[in-house]
Amino acid sequence: GAVVSQHPSWVICKSGTSVKIECRSLDFQATTMFWYRQFPKQSLMLMATSNEGSKATYEQGVEKDKFLINHASLTLSTLTVTSAHPEDSSFYICSARVGGDSYEQYFGPGTRLTVT
Amino acid sequence: GQNIDQPTEMTATEGAIVQINCTYQTSGFNGLFWYQQHAGEAPTFLSYNVLDGLEEKGRFSSFLSRSKGYSYLLLKELQMKDSASYLCAVLDSNYQLIWGAGTKLIIKP
């Protein structure tokens, strides 16, 4: 159990376009979902935390107008990178938490974004 | 500030034992996680410690000392597939996960 999927697994887009990444919890309801970014040979960097039905909480330095997060249901959260630039090229990973007494995060397989 | 320290890289031999240390200074403590991350993949859960002591799970064990702000992950009977980064993460007083930079473990035959 506790499977999280991400789609797409990789995407190449042109500079100035927008890209949407989906994160789904397949066999559980996720009260909270997290979006991370990871540059090569660096650790995970939390971008934002989203709870179903409410606005996402962004970490300092993350532009909320550039990285739009929608957590429309207990099984789906989306991250849209708007007006992408080459420096946005990275590995984007989502994770989900069941809630209650469990704080373990279940990670999706990640999405590799390349902006040309 | 909040800080989690772990070695950047370690090398070990196939079949041997390796211990990866993690020290932390965080605002509150609600548990410590170890995750494994292979290159180009997302992290996968290994262990969770909230009480002092050793938790054993197959070839992997995790130890916690809250008074010392210290944990280690012990990997026995190393296999080539254990080559990966190992991430230490602490759940702080706000139940936010604070991540270490990870330890890259290289296994040599």
Side-chain angles (χ1 to χ4, degrees):
Chain A
V3 178
V4 176
S5 70
Q6 258 182 266
H7 178 79
S9 54
W10 60 270
V11 58
I12 301 172
C13 70
K14 291 187 176 180
S15 189
T17 61
S18 295
V19 173
K20 180 186 281 189
I21 303 170
E22 290 188 350
C23 177
R24 293 181 186 271
S25 56
L26 298 184
D27 52 3
F28 68 101
Q29 292 187 325
T31 57
T32 307
M33 286 186 168
F34 305 85
W35 286 96
Y36 293 86
R37 182 166 53 182
Q38 187 175 35
F39 293 105
K41 298 184 180 180
Q42 294 186 24
S43 188
L44 295 173
M45 187 184 78
L46 180 65
M47 299 175 67
T49 302
S50 73
N51 292 295
E52 183 264 339
S54 61
K55 288 184 178 180
T57 302
Y58 289 81
E59 295 299 301
Q60 196 171 9
V62 178
E63 300 172 58
K64 60 180 68 176
D65 294 331
K66 180 170 181 63
F67 299 98
L68 302 179
I69 292 171
N70 185 9
H71 193 159
S73 76
L74 284 171
T75 60
L76 173 65
S77 177
T78 61
L79 167 68
T80 302
V81 183
T82 62
S83 186
H85 291 286
E87 56 265 30
D88 298 325
S89 298
S90 187
F91 191 45
Y92 291 87
I93 311 172
C94 75
S95 69
R97 187 161 69 82
V98 173
D101 293 334
S102 173
Y103 291 94
E104 180 183 340
Q105 293 185 23
Y106 301 93
F107 285 85
T111 297
R112 188 159 301 283
L113 169 64
T114 302
V115 184
T116 60
Chain B
Q2 313 218 77
N3 196 47
I4 296 184
D5 287 318
Q6 46 181 137
T8 305
E9 188 174 295
M10 298 181 71
T11 302
T13 305
E14 189 177 16
I17 298 173
V18 71
Q19 177 175 311
I20 303 174
N21 296 324
C22 170
T23 58
Y24 62 88
Q25 293 171 305
T26 56
S27 57
F29 178 85
N30 281 299
L32 185 145
F33 292 86
W34 283 97
Y35 282 84
Q36 180 191 59
Q37 186 178 24
H38 285 101
E41 299 180 12
T44 55
F45 171 80
L46 288 178
S47 66
Y48 172 65
N49 293 66
V50 67
L51 299 176
D52 290 350
L54 186 69
E55 296 269 350
E56 296 186 73
K57 193 185 291 186
R59 293 190 299 115
F60 293 6
S61 303
S62 56
F63 171 83
L64 174 68
S65 169
R66 288 171 296 171
S67 62
K68 295 182 180 178
Y70 168 70
S71 172
Y72 68 72
L73 180 68
L74 191 71
L75 292 76
K76 301 177 186 176
E77 300 169 19
L78 286 170
Q79 302 174 9
M80 297 303 292
K81 67 178 182 179
D82 297 330
S83 292
S85 287
Y86 291 85
L87 307 174
C88 172
V90 172
L91 206 57
D92 70 6
S93 57
N94 294 319
Y95 292 93
Q96 289 271 64
L97 260 186
I98 310 300
W99 292 88
T103 298
K104 182 179 179 181
L105 178 63
I106 299 168
I107 310 295
K108 294 186 174 179

